[in-house]
Amino acid sequence: MCDKYQATEKPCELKSSCTVLKSNGSREGVVDFTRAAQDAQKILQISLNSHARGFEKQILEIDIEKCFDRIYHKSIMERLIAPKGIKTGIFRCLKAGVNPEYPEQGTPQGGVASPLLANIALNGIESVHSYKNRGHTYEPTIRYADDMVVILRPQDDANAILERISEFLAQRGMNVSQKKTKLTAATDGFDFLGWHISVQTNGKFRCVPSTDNFKAFRQKVKGIVNCSNYGAKEKAEKLAPIVRGWRNYHRYCKMEGARNSLYFIQKRALKVFNKEKKQNHHTSKKLLDKAFPAVPYSENKFVNVYQDKSPYDGDLTYWSERNSKLYDGETSQALKRQNHKCGYCDLKMLSEEKVHLHHVDGNHNNWKKNNLLAIHESCHDYIHMSKS
């Protein structure tokens, strides 16, 4: 990873770098800057699949002790490359204070700028452990915010690598947690970013929602379903975004089975809905479908951002096509027909603005292809404003 901070798709999230194996098994010495947790998931899949002989590898799970409480302000400001206005804003964020006893250290955990500051402070840690193979340099470290794992080959010395990482962190006022840092065989599995990742004995890569992640999700759903303050309709409205978000996050995992398909949770919700006097089995089933929206999943099918592409590099065509994949159904089909351009202003679709589906004749019951246009949210507002 280069020394200066790379502006990326979502500045509030950490972007990690890792030189990876191509999914077809060929090796290529390129650096991949991940933008989302799914990018890190895909890198692990490529690095631990059967082509990469993942069943032979080990995983060094590194936990940074009190990462956000111990970051040196000076080390961040020295490594930050940004316009003066941005540097001033970040400096003020740092000086807002966390602990009066350490005025030169720490940043609020969970704050807006915390992942950005962690990314700046930990930038370059991926280069601590690297190796060459067939003329290419590989950095088998995957990092997302302060969560980090290192993929080790059988010949790698885990203690030496951990010592070098500890020296890197010491320069920035941080240290490795000895209690939570551990070495795990890839075949035994490990938890990372809400997933349980493992390599089967036959070499197949497997990723499913972790036990802790599922328990937290189930507890949140259970609290809404069992709450007597809401009726069935209100419960369905509150459950829908939670369930859709959870399923979208895990849409590239193996989501088969009663647990991951939420069979028993839906069964319980249906039972609760049916208890209301105003509801019958038919209306309860409709509310259940609304509360638990279906999200298609495709195991290990996520496509990483190409090499070091950035939304700020001026390549509007690439990013417009990539962002259009966030939509499905009629919106996705309309975007493809329009070559990922707005049907009203003919400009490219970017991530800064939502895509709306516009009915040309004003009839929302007419879902014919020639009556649907994918347009910018602002263009949609302008059309209806001019009509009124």
Side-chain angles (χ1 to χ4, degrees), residues 18-35:
C18 178
T19 308
V20 301
L21 301 177
K22 289 282 188 177
S23 57
N24 59 6
S26 62
R27 292 176 170 81
E28 185 171 334
V30 297
V31 177
D32 184 271
F33 296 84
T34 66
R35 272 78 177 178

Side-chain angles (χ1 to χ4, degrees), residues 1-18 31-36 79-83 86 90 115-124 126 143 305-314 319:
M1 193 170 182
C2 58
D3 288 334
K4 75 175 184 177
Y5 171 66
Q6 296 285 337
T8 47
E9 191 173 24
K10 293 181 181 177
C12 63
E13 297 178 356
L14 178 102
K15 327 306 181 237
S16 66
S17 71
C18 178
V31 177
D32 184 271
F33 296 84
T34 66
R35 272 78 177 178
R79 291 168 175 81
L80 176 62
I81 298 176
I86 295 178
I90 291 176
L116 170 64
L117 298 175
N119 188 42
I120 297 169
L122 298 175
N123 185 30
E126 297 84 6
R143 177 172 62 86
V305 176
Y306 180 70
Q307 294 189 11
D308 58 349
K309 298 295 294 180
S310 165
Y312 304 98
D313 60 9
W319 289 105

Side-chain angles (χ1 to χ4, degrees), residues 196-250:
H196 182 74
I197 298 168
S198 61
V199 179
Q200 298 177 349
T201 52
N202 61 359
K204 187 174 180 61
F205 176 86
R206 182 69 70 216
C207 180
V208 296
S210 67
T211 302
D212 291 340
N213 180 276
F214 179 78
K215 283 182 178 179
F217 166 75
R218 184 180 61 184
Q219 198 67 24
K220 192 179 294 185
V221 172
K222 186 178 177 181
I224 296 174
V225 171
N226 295 336
C227 183
S228 59
N229 294 335
Y230 308 128
K233 290 183 179 179
E234 290 80 5
K235 289 178 181 178
E237 290 175 358
K238 290 181 178 293
L239 285 171
I242 296 172
V243 174
R244 186 184 295 108
W246 186 81
R247 282 178 162 167
N248 267 318
Y249 185 79
H250 299 295

Side-chain angles (χ1 to χ4, degrees), residues 277-344:
K277 294 181 179 179
K278 295 180 181 179
Q279 305 296 332
N280 53 46
H281 185 77
H282 179 69
T283 57
S284 295
K285 185 63 173 68
K286 278 190 173 181
L287 287 175
L288 188 73
D289 293 338
K290 181 181 179 181
F292 292 84
V295 175
Y297 71 92
S298 50
E299 188 180 2
N300 301 329
K301 296 296 183 181
F302 182 80
V303 179
N304 281 81
V305 176
Y306 180 70
Q307 294 189 11
D308 58 349
K309 298 295 294 180
S310 165
Y312 304 98
D313 60 9
D315 193 348
L316 299 182
T317 302
Y318 174 82
W319 289 105
S320 297
E321 292 180 3
R322 183 173 179 84
N323 292 331
S324 66
K325 294 176 182 177
L326 298 173
Y327 300 90
D328 54 13
E330 285 80 5
T331 307
S332 176
Q333 294 172 13
L335 283 168
K336 289 178 181 177
R337 289 196 303 270
Q338 297 164 200
N339 196 23
H340 310 283
K341 292 182 180 180
C342 176
Y344 184 77

Side-chain angles (χ1 to χ4, degrees), residues 88 140 165 171 344:
T88 303
I165 290 174
Q171 297 173 4
Y344 184 77

